[in-house]
Amino acid sequence: MLRRPVNNDWSGQRFPHPTKRRPIIGELGASDPRNPILSVLQWGARLGPIFELQVFRQKFVFVASAELTAELCDETRFCKALPPAITALRQYAGDGLFTAFNDEPNWQLAHELLMPAFTKAAMRSYHSTMTATACELFDYWDRRAVGAADAGATTDSGATTDSDVTQDMTKLTMETLTRTAFSRDFGSFTSPEQHPFVAAMIRALETGRRKGGLGTAPGGRFLTRYLDHRNAEHQAYIDSLLDKVIAERADDHRQDDLLGIMLNVAHPETGEKLSMLNIRYQILTFLVAGHETTSGALSFTLYYLSQNPECLARARAEADDILGDDPTAMPTFEQVPKFRYIRRCLDEALRIWPTVPAFARSPRADTEIAGRYRMRPQDWAVIMLGLVHRDPEVWDRPDVYDPDRFLAENVKKRPAHSYKPFGAGLRACIGRQFALHEAVLVLAGLLHRYELAADPSYQLAVDERLTMVPKDFHLSLTKRTIPATAGIG
Ligand code: MNH
């Protein structure tokens, strides 16, 4: 057999790796194909700050320490890399913001046009949509609680309902995005059936996920084509629906959603606008990049609050304090930044379970990292956030959930770049403010409105989809009816 070169070969340098390497398949057995990230997290912790995995002809180099992460996050020397799993998404998202190569002109143009739509101040225009969508979820829970009481399913107050947390949060964040991105309501909480667009999105995402690891495997191309074939119908439906929405809006001058901004705002200096095709790529990108990530962040936070009664009590006291006596009150735009403790609860959940588990970096020119490993622009390293965020050099008792790690005075004591859930540099997450604004207002409203309890026998399991989310995590939610008393302080 002809020996073909290894992809991402790092000039032939070797790093610690998890198991004995076998001919042809490499370390295929070391990683569970359904849960590759969880596998790396599992054995990565004992392999040191930099390690590798080779599967077939593909080599992956992983970074686990805060120190090396800081080096790779130096924008003067390094930039975003697009490993095969990300390039595979270009088929759907083209040169949209997430999947664009650094030097593609549409990245710069879209970045400059869209940055103003994602500032903290810009969240004012999405705020009422975000709160209204969250209220729809809460009302849906309340209707179900009443229904359950009628059916005699609950014995006490009758206002308790069960939530499949990840599923409900994913519906919520998806619905928030379709409304803020292109003013479409897909009726996730008001209609009993799943809208075909949402169903098609879920199917397409599943395909994307399965394709991710296939690239270099023997027969991988064939499998990829097979998956594409099965997915083609869903993809065509999504594309045609989005193209129709875009075309319908081409002549109006609204600028009250992301689509309106993309259609109607020209670059202040060059007068350029995004093409219709690129606008579709951007909308798909926002839907994909923005919904499951935020949903996972919400779900992990609710998980940790359910397991840490003291944190839960402090978070609830804050919600009551700011929102007052009416348990159905939702935060105003101005109130959102005041939930400082709830925000720390969210930050800490994203430390232990960063929902985007990794991102990749390449050097701009030949260089050395850690003072001794040669790295060339065609090489890339994957920063494994789940390991970096638990690096014992930086984090004391890293497995303990402690939101106060994110008090300003504690943040200041840590080295820069030890916490990177939203990525680094120019290509960092554009939706960060959007995600944080939405997540904080949902948590505050939820804690104010419901008592929550997890099944005491539940053990956290993590589901690896495009992103990381809690698996089969349920909360029982009981409507709070008594006026909050903690709030009058
Ligand atoms: Mn988001 C890039 C994490 C919410 C849209 N996002 C990134 C990156 C990380 C990330 C990490 C960098 C990836 C890389 O370097 O390859 N994002 C998150 C997390 C959340 C999140 C943890 C929620 C919590 N992201 C959102 C939301 C949106 C969004 C919400 C949109 C509404 N993210 C993006 C886009 C990019 C991105 C677009 C690509 C930005 C660019 O490269 O210019």
Side-chain angles (χ1 to χ4, degrees), residues 80 97-98 107 118 177 285-286 289-290 293-294 297 350 355-356 359 421-423 427-431 434-435:
K80 167 167 169 149
L97 279 171
F98 191 85
W107 180 79
F118 282 104
L177 269 166
T285 298
F286 296 143
T293 49
T294 312
L350 280 173
T355 53
V356 173
F359 60 93
F422 292 98
R427 301 294 304 269
C429 182
I430 201 174
F434 187 103

Side-chain angles (χ1 to χ4, degrees), residues 173-219:
T173 52
M174 176 71 137
E175 195 66 43
T176 303
L177 269 166
T178 60
R179 295 179 193 192
T180 47
F182 55 107
S183 301
R184 275 296 179 104
D185 177 343
F186 287 112
S188 295
F189 307 114
T190 46
S191 121
E193 275 118 56
Q194 190 178 45
H195 191 283
F197 178 76
V198 175
M201 276 295 293
I202 292 169
R203 289 291 189 82
L205 287 174
E206 182 58 24
T207 307
R209 190 177 83 96
R210 286 208 206 141
K211 277 174 61 181
L214 290 174
T216 60

